[in-house]
């Protein structure tokens, strides 16, 4: 299969290209870092890139929490407009298979249950609570403590920041394209991806990259809130394998199917910082109590649908992945 990989020279995209090649496919890289003028917002460039292509793996996006709403227009231009241009070109070229780099950020907070009211969806955390060190969301009905658990794909979308809103928009556009064109569309909702080639020292990098950069400077990783935020850290090679599985699967036409792509083994942000510090032989993490508006407290994955329907499973353990990541590979 000849597969156009947008963002194919980037962090995740480059691993997808390698995984496709290893499976005998023919990946075509479309990335501004690799080819001047390769911009998904440019219809002519996208149309040329789709010539002879059987499927598209859409990894190109502006990622991360960013700078509040100051860079909202840039997020919308890259993620929403870029996806719309790509889908229009795919319809014109008759390319009917799409795998989208989705994100767990579309859920907002993860799964919460109140002992009295069952499953609930707490709203955004108030600044006054964050400043007072009250980080855990409470039941929006009675104010009780909540139990947390993995979120499944049927959870309602509740994006909490600009980036999250554009990732949901990408899914909605892909679903509209699939219905209109009878296409096959899959969104892999990545959880916290880490590993080789992860961007460093930018406001849009992930927390694992921030911690590793601090340790490389001989500094202690700075852990926000109390460090007990729960996340699902999944290795980039496992995510690349999920993309190949989705491209090869028969998921049906005319609709978008979403799959969580996570390790299934939650860890706290503090545990991540501690594991990296130990692997790097660096100073122990410092818990600062700082916070970022738009961050959610807990979000972990139920990836059983991806395992059951596509036969995928993660292969890189947290411990092995942290050792490799600490070595900078």
């Amino acid at each position: 299969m000849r597969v156009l990989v947008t963002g194919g020279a980037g962090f995740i995209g480059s691993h997808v290209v390698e995984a496709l090649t290893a499976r005998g496919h023919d990946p075509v890289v479309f990335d501004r870092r690799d080819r001047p003028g390769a911009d998904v917002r440019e219809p002519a460039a996208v149309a040329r890139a789709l010539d002879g292509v059987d499927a598209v793996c859409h990894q190109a996006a502006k990622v991360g929490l960013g700078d509040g709403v100051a860079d909202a227009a840039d997020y919308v231009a890259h993620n929403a407009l870029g996806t719309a241009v790509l889908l229009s070109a795919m319809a014109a070229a008759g390319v009917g298979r799409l795998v989208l780099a989705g994100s767990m950020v579309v859920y907002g907070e993860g799964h919460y249950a109140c002992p009295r009211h069952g499953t609930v969806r707490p709203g955004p955390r108030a600044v006054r609570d964050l400043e007072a060190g009250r980080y855990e969301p409470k039941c929006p009905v009675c104010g009780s403590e909540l139990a947390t658990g993995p979120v499944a794909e049927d959870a309602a979308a509740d994006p909490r920041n600009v980036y999250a809103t554009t990732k949901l928009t990408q899914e909605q556009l892909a679903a509209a394209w699939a219905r209109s064109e009878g296409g096959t569309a899959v969104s892999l909702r990545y959880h916290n991806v880490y590993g080789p080639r992860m961007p460093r020292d930018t406001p849009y990098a992930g927390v694992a990259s921030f911690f590793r950069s601090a340790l490389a400077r001989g500094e202690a990783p700075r852990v926000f809130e109390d460090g007990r935020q729960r996340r699902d850290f999944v290795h980039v090679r496992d995510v690349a394998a999920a993309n190949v599985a989705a491209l090869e699967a028969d998921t049906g036409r005319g609709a978008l199917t979403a799959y969580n792509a996570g390790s299934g083994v939650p860890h706290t942000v503090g545990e991540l910082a501690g594991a990296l510090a130990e692997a790097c032989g660096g100073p122990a993490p410092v818990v600062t109590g700082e916070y970022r508006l738009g961050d959610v407290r807990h979000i972990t994955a139920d990836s059983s649908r991806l395992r059951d329907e596509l036969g995928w499973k993660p292969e890189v353990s947290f411990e092995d992945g942290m050792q490799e990541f600490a070595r900078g590979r």
Side-chain angles (χ1 to χ4, degrees):
M1 186 169 17
R2 187 171 173 84
V3 183
L4 182 69
V5 184
T6 69
F11 167 42
I12 298 174
S14 63
H15 287 276
V16 171
V17 168
E18 291 177 357
L20 284 167
T21 302
R23 285 283 294 177
H25 297 293
D26 179 18
V28 178
V29 174
F30 186 83
D31 194 303
R32 291 186 300 168
R33 287 161 290 199
D34 184 67
R35 184 188 310 171
D39 191 325
V40 291
R41 297 169 295 180
E42 295 295 333
V46 175
R48 287 192 298 271
L50 286 169
D51 185 38
V53 162
D54 303 301
V56 173
C57 188
H58 185 31
Q59 304 293 317
K62 188 177 179 70
V63 301
L65 187 58
D67 187 21
V69 296
D71 45 11
D74 206 26
Y75 273 99
V76 171
H78 281 85
N79 298 353
L81 175 61
T83 299
V85 169
L86 173 65
L87 293 170
S88 295
M90 288 175 64
V95 179
R97 182 173 290 272
L98 171 72
V99 173
L100 172 69
S103 175
M104 52 81 178
V105 295
V106 301
Y107 298 118
E109 288 283 355
H111 177 82
Y112 291 88
C114 171
R116 293 176 57 194
H117 298 99
T119 299
V120 295
R121 294 192 66 80
R125 296 178 293 170
V127 170
R128 64 179 179 276
D129 288 333
L130 294 170
E131 289 182 344
R134 295 188 294 267
Y135 305 121
E136 294 290 343
K138 300 294 178 64
C139 175
V141 181
C142 66
S144 296
E145 300 287 337
L146 298 173
T148 66
V151 63
E153 292 89 350
D154 59 359
D158 186 19
R160 298 290 176 91
N161 54 59
V162 170
Y163 169 60
T165 301
T166 63
K167 295 305 289 183
L168 180 58
T169 300
Q170 285 186 312
E171 287 195 352
Q172 293 168 331
L173 288 167
W177 164 82
R179 287 192 297 270
S180 173
E181 302 300 316
T184 297
V186 170
S187 177
L188 294 173
R189 291 174 176 169
Y190 301 159
H191 282 248
N192 290 69
V193 186
Y194 73 96
R197 304 173 212 148
M198 193 174 190
R200 301 180 68 168
D201 304 319
T202 84
Y204 307 101
V207 65
S209 181
F210 292 149
F211 291 162
R212 189 180 67 173
S213 292
L215 289 161
R217 297 190 299 267
E219 301 171 3
R222 296 176 60 82
V223 179
F224 281 14
E225 300 185 18
D226 58 2
R228 296 191 179 97
Q229 312 94 299
R230 289 164 63 85
R231 296 291 188 270
D232 188 320
F233 299 100
V234 59
H235 196 277
V236 66
R237 288 196 297 274
D238 287 330
V239 165
N243 275 270
V244 176
L247 282 163
E248 295 178 345
D250 182 11
T251 55
R253 294 185 172 273
L256 178 137
T257 305
Y259 294 98
N260 285 330
S263 72
V265 183
H267 291 274
T268 68
V269 173
E271 287 171 344
L272 169 72
L276 277 176
E278 182 177 355
C280 291
V286 174
V287 177
T288 69
E290 297 171 86
Y291 63 88
R292 295 192 306 177
L293 286 177
D295 272 347
V296 298
R297 178 62 173 173
H298 304 294
I299 178 72
T300 59
D302 177 355
S303 298
S304 57
R305 177 186 290 180
L306 183 57
R307 296 170 188 243
D308 295 345
E309 295 185 9
L310 303 191
W312 169 90
K313 65 176 182 178
E315 301 289 347
V316 183
S317 70
F318 179 78
E319 293 75 19
D320 290 346
M322 287 297 112
Q323 287 289 335
E324 178 194 39
F325 188 58
R327 295 193 296 268
R329 295 182 182 176

